[in-house]
Amino acid sequence: METTGAEIIIRSLQEEKVEYIFGYPGGAVLFIYDELFKQKKIKHVLTRHEQGASHAADGYARSSGKIGVCLVTSGPGLTNAVTGIATAYMDSIPMVIISGQVPSHAIGLDAFQEADAVGITRSCTKYNVLVKRVEDIAPTIRKAFHIASTGRPGPVLVDIPKDLTAQKTTYSYPKGALKIRSYNPSSAGHRGQVSRAIKLIKGAKRLMVYSGGGVILGNAATEFTRFVKKLKCPVTNTLMGLGAYPATDKQFLGMPGMHGTYETNMAMQHCDVLVAVGARFDDRVIGDPAHFSQVARQIVHVDVDPSSISKRVKVDVPIVGEVTQVLKSLNEGIAGNMPSTKDMDAWWEQITKWQNKNCLRYKTKPGVVKPQQVIEALHKVTGGDAFVTSDVGQHQMWAAQYYKFNKPRRWINSGGLGTMGFGLPAAVGVQLAHPGAAVACVTGEASIMMCIQELSTCKQYRLPVKIINLNNRYMGMVRQWQEFFHGNRYSESYMDALPDFVKLAESYGHSGVRVERPEDVEPALREVFARKDELVFMDFVTDQTENVYPMVAAGKGLSEMVLAEDL
């Protein structure tokens, strides 16, 4: 029996056990939406903008470990989703995006709502393809899910012309293991390199371990924690790796990099053996590579993507493979726990001296709400167990610094692309993936305005997200950089004519709370998080002049941090 291309798409997604599709309908995908309407297995979530759909699919994927699926129409539907696709690509998030395309005969003729989806997304997808025959739809979707989730994960785009969704053919979904020529990601690390790594680690005098988002995405947090415990050494998680190792453990020094802690950056700079796992030495982590390389150290780098190794710094022992498999090999190769040595004791004494700087200390002011205080109270009220999404800016860094993430997949943010507008739609995906869980969106008044229409999505699907708006009436991080590097010339960074966020939330059918006094911060959070069945928009009116410290300026080295004035 023959079936239409649209039905083949839906049946293929059912084969992949897709639970949610985040999307927005349009002319080129109407046959697909008609098939969605006829079935009950897959739930469609109607966002209010295609960017929101792609971020929601992203948030769902990051928090659940499953593949996020997004469905958009041709032309502006696809281009609106590109920011979300690029966000997922930069952070290696597994997603499948299905875009409608104008009919085959109209491609290349500037037809209504035509855009070159494959050309536009070539640089921000792991793989993309225009389907040209209805018979190819099912095998292409099978291939898309395989590529999105294996090796280094990433978004895959499948562009399908409208006429194919109406054409008919016999449905058959590929079964069994999929083999693709020239695509064979490595799983286990090279034995010889693993042995070399173990020898280096055992001989270290100032050992440091550093994890990134690869540990989270590879579901390797348990094996990673076991590894660090064996070594008894200091450890740091990057912004993308927060939760890979428990933040409240004494071996954890805090986040590294531009807004990392003093002790972490000093330890990263002065260690003699550095073990990097699922991290890529990006500019926000190590600062200036030349400065970083001034200190002689041996580097072991574990990553599933060979192109990430020795990309920015020279690596001594490269190990290509899935991080869980490689960590198992390393743990097996290190019999028992590493013994304490005089050298390592001296290393920890040095680190304790750096920790005594207490670099995250901040000054309070009577009558003024400090943003750090809000995040600390959020951690206390939620017991550190909430899923926290964020937008991008100062609030993102304060959330990363002061909310102590002890579990993987709890911290959901746009690390690589730095996308303002990510937080709220990502929270939509997180809340759907984890109904009943506490989900907090930490944002700022500038970021939340970029995708604020998704408050409507939250209302339609009754999502009880708690929005923590750190409202300082500035694009805070822009203002901070203008203060530091542009002579206090705050060019266009002031947010004038802001809405009344409480009334705005109420206009969407939600509740709103404004907090303006420090003594009200924790009680307000307790009262709001007790309201488990409703979205509450919390507008915290915070100190306008507060800056994020420590800070490593662009182009500077890790040991050239700027600390708060009183430190």
Side-chain angles (χ1 to χ4, degrees), residues 332-387:
E332 289 168 2
I334 301 169
N337 294 339
M338 291 271 284
S340 294
T341 64
K342 287 184 179 178
D343 290 326
M344 281 300 288
D345 290 344
W347 180 226
W348 271 112
E349 285 175 16
Q350 176 60 65
I351 288 168
T352 301
K353 291 178 183 174
W354 290 327
Q355 287 176 316
N356 289 338
K357 282 266 186 187
N358 193 12
C359 67
L360 294 181
R361 182 159 46 92
Y362 59 91
K363 278 186 177 177
T364 56
K365 295 179 186 174
V368 177
V369 175
K370 287 287 184 175
Q372 301 96 324
Q373 175 197 2
V374 177
I375 303 300
E376 287 179 329
L378 176 66
H379 179 266
K380 185 178 178 182
V381 167
T382 59
D385 201 36
F387 290 85

Side-chain angles (χ1 to χ4, degrees), residues 457-498:
T457 308
C458 293
K459 182 63 180 176
Q460 180 172 341
Y461 298 96
R462 300 179 180 180
L463 304 178
V465 173
K466 305 298 184 282
I467 297 173
I468 314 297
N469 186 37
L470 302 181
N471 184 353
N472 63 4
R473 288 80 73 206
Y474 271 109
M475 296 175 205
M477 193 61 86
V478 174
R479 181 199 55 74
Q480 179 169 338
W481 280 55
Q482 288 174 333
E483 178 183 325
F484 284 19
F485 310 117
H486 299 278
N488 294 331
R489 294 182 294 280
Y490 301 132
S491 178
E492 303 300 327
S493 58
Y494 181 71
M495 294 296 291
D496 203 357
L498 286 168

Side-chain angles (χ1 to χ4, degrees), residues 91-105:
D91 291 342
S92 305
I93 305 305
M95 279 173 52
V96 171
I97 304 95
I98 296 175
S99 56
Q101 184 53 275
V102 300
S104 302
H105 64 82

Side-chain angles (χ1 to χ4, degrees), residues 205-437:
K205 297 179 179 178
R206 302 185 305 278
L207 182 61
M208 180 79 182
V209 174
Y210 141 59
S211 88
V215 174
I216 306 281
L217 295 169
N219 297 314
T222 300
E223 206 66 43
F224 179 72
T225 301
R226 184 178 165 222
F227 176 65
V228 175
K229 287 288 184 186
K230 273 176 173 275
L231 301 183
K232 298 178 181 174
C233 67
V235 59
T236 177
N237 300 328
T238 68
L239 180 71
M240 295 306 300
L242 292 176
Y245 189 88
T248 54
D249 188 87
K250 63 182 181 182
Q251 285 177 244
F252 183 70
L253 302 188
M255 191 171 65
M258 180 170 279
H259 295 296
T261 63
Y262 181 77
E263 52 268 33
T264 299
N265 284 344
M266 294 299 283
M268 287 275 285
Q269 184 66 23
H270 295 288
C271 63
D272 68 340
V273 173
L274 178 63
V275 182
V277 185
R280 55 192 171 93
F281 294 90
D282 72 38
D283 56 310
R284 288 292 177 110
V285 171
I286 64 163
D288 177 17
H291 182 277
F292 185 70
S293 300
Q294 287 176 353
V295 177
R297 69 173 77 73
Q298 301 282 301
I299 297 177
V300 177
H301 191 177
V302 180
D303 204 293
V304 74
D305 180 7
S307 71
S308 287
I309 293 178
S310 292
K311 195 172 186 177
R312 297 195 75 240
V313 298
K314 182 180 176 297
V315 168
D316 300 283
V317 183
I319 306 178
V320 178
E322 293 177 4
V323 290
T324 303
Q325 297 302 319
V326 175
L327 285 167
K328 282 181 180 176
S329 299
L330 289 168
N331 280 329
E332 289 168 2
I334 301 169
N337 294 339
M338 291 271 284
S340 294
T341 64
K342 287 184 179 178
D343 290 326
M344 281 300 288
D345 290 344
W347 180 226
W348 271 112
E349 285 175 16
Q350 176 60 65
I351 288 168
T352 301
K353 291 178 183 174
W354 290 327
Q355 287 176 316
N356 289 338
K357 282 266 186 187
N358 193 12
C359 67
L360 294 181
R361 182 159 46 92
Y362 59 91
K363 278 186 177 177
T364 56
K365 295 179 186 174
V368 177
V369 175
K370 287 287 184 175
Q372 301 96 324
Q373 175 197 2
V374 177
I375 303 300
E376 287 179 329
L378 176 66
H379 179 266
K380 185 178 178 182
V381 167
T382 59
D385 201 36
F387 290 85
V388 179
T389 72
S390 87
D391 278 299
V392 170
Q394 288 183 316
H395 60 271
Q396 176 193 28
M397 291 301 129
W398 284 316
Q401 289 175 330
Y402 292 90
Y403 197 97
K404 306 299 182 186
F405 293 94
N406 281 336
K407 297 177 182 176
R409 300 192 184 278
R410 288 293 199 277
W411 169 234
I412 313 293
N413 81 119
S414 170
L417 196 63
T419 308
M420 292 171 70
F422 175 82
L424 178 56
V428 168
V430 173
Q431 189 74 79
L432 286 165
H434 304 277

Side-chain angles (χ1 to χ4, degrees), residues 21-37 44-54 70-78 80-81 98-101 112-113 162 454 457 460-461:
I21 293 176
F22 301 89
Y24 202 100
V29 288
L30 284 183
F31 289 117
I32 304 173
Y33 270 86
D34 199 40
E35 290 301 325
L36 267 173
F37 185 84
H44 181 272
V45 179
L46 177 66
T47 57
R48 298 311 190 255
H49 191 287
E50 289 87 350
Q51 183 178 346
S54 53
C70 183
L71 173 60
V72 296
T73 193
S74 63
L78 176 278
N80 282 344
I98 296 175
S99 56
Q101 184 53 275
F112 176 68
Q113 291 195 333
K162 181 174 182 176
E454 301 309 333
T457 308
Q460 180 172 341
Y461 298 96

